[in-house]
Amino acid sequence: EVQLVESGGGLVQPGGSLRLSCAASGFTVSSNYMSWVRQAPGKGLEWVSVIYSGGSTYYADSVKGRFTISRDNSKNTLYLQMNSLRAEDTAVYYCARYYYDSSGLRPLNWFDPWGQGTLVTVSS
Amino acid sequence: SYELTQPPSVSVSPGQTARITCSGDALPKQYAYWYQQKPGQAPVLVIYKDSERPSGIPERFSGSSSGTTVTLTISGVQAEDEADYYCQSADSSGTYPRVVFGGGTKLTVL
């Protein structure tokens, strides 16, 4: 069964750091595109970051320079290192497998499956 | 920046048909995807490539596309379909395709 399990969320002060983990089972993280998506309390979904199977990484402008996405192939785990955290980073963070294919006339890109999410609260 | 626009809410009675729209200038050139999110749960993909249904998703869920608008249709709505629904597409105008989500639509089953 394909499954993603996040961990590492919690309460952190503004300016602090936190590392989220996403353990995958049923498929190989390094062979897939993987992404983080967040959802502030009562708000919609916001894409945060993606790591391609080849290792390229991309970030939303709101987190660029502060967050780093990475993976550990030996542990089949995805990470999100979050530094210089702000109150507006408070959200449930989901990891998701990102299916991407640009070979056709129209690129394909969707998220499936998603993990259950982990809550990050930035507050003093 | 590229945006996808959804109505904040849609209400229907059980057994009726619910239609949720999503509008965006790039939709004629980009596929759209739909996610269902129930309270306290992670999103679940219900439609991909405008109108394809993943395995395990009930046949009452369907998708369509016309110009700059895509539509998620739920036929014979059931109480369990009450949830938030998000459309998603991509903005390929930059160096890499940026994922874009609509603001979400709360479906209420009366």
Side-chain angles (χ1 to χ4, degrees):
Chain A
E1 180 190 6
V2 174
Q3 192 174 15
L4 295 166
V5 178
E6 300 98 333
S7 60
L11 175 64
V12 60
Q13 293 188 338
S17 298
L18 210 57
R19 189 179 80 158
L20 307 182
S21 300
C22 171
S25 58
F27 71 100
T28 303
V29 165
S30 61
S31 299
N32 287 268
Y33 291 16
M34 299 294 297
S35 197
W36 289 95
V37 178
R38 68 184 181 182
Q39 185 172 35
K43 302 297 184 181
L45 301 171
E46 179 189 16
W47 173 77
V48 173
S49 181
V50 64
I51 182 167
Y52 288 3
S53 54
S56 297
T57 58
Y58 300 99
Y59 301 90
D61 290 342
S62 57
V63 306
K64 196 176 299 181
R66 301 187 298 122
F67 289 12
T68 302
I69 190 171
S70 65
R71 66 192 181 209
D72 185 328
N73 297 345
S74 66
K75 296 182 178 179
N76 207 32
T77 297
L78 178 73
Y79 300 102
L80 185 67
Q81 177 67 44
M82 304 184 296
N83 299 331
S84 302
L85 283 162
R86 308 165 179 167
E88 54 265 36
D89 295 319
T90 294
V92 173
Y93 285 73
Y94 297 98
C95 67
R97 184 171 58 181
Y98 179 53
Y99 184 83
Y100 177 67
D101 184 351
S102 62
S103 61
L105 289 176
R106 287 196 283 172
L108 306 174
N109 58 325
W110 72 81
F111 301 95
D112 182 60
W114 298 58
Q116 87 287 352
T118 187
L119 176 63
V120 173
T121 303
V122 184
S123 174
S124 55
Chain B
S1 63
Y2 180 47
E3 293 184 352
L4 295 174
T5 302
Q6 299 180 233
S9 62
V10 168
S11 299
V12 296
S13 299
Q16 291 189 328
T17 296
R19 294 180 179 85
I20 301 173
T21 59
C22 172
S23 300
D25 290 340
L27 287 177
K29 295 178 288 187
Q30 297 283 346
Y31 285 113
Y33 309 86
W34 290 94
Y35 302 89
Q36 176 194 66
Q37 186 181 35
K38 296 181 179 179
Q41 298 184 19
V44 173
L45 179 72
V46 294
I47 294 290
Y48 67 102
K49 288 178 62 178
D50 290 346
S51 59
E52 300 290 327
R53 194 174 52 251
S55 61
I57 301 301
E59 290 183 6
R60 63 180 182 273
F61 289 86
S62 63
S64 61
S65 175
S66 178
T68 59
T69 299
V70 293
T71 302
L72 172 68
T73 300
I74 310 172
S75 305
V77 166
Q78 301 181 6
E80 66 196 53
D81 299 330
E82 186 164 284
D84 293 326
Y85 291 86
Y86 294 90
C87 62
Q88 174 245 310
S89 189
D91 174 10
S92 295
S93 61
T95 56
Y96 68 95
R98 293 172 181 261
V99 172
V100 180
F101 288 99
T105 298
K106 180 176 182 57
L107 175 66
T108 299
V109 181
L110 301 171

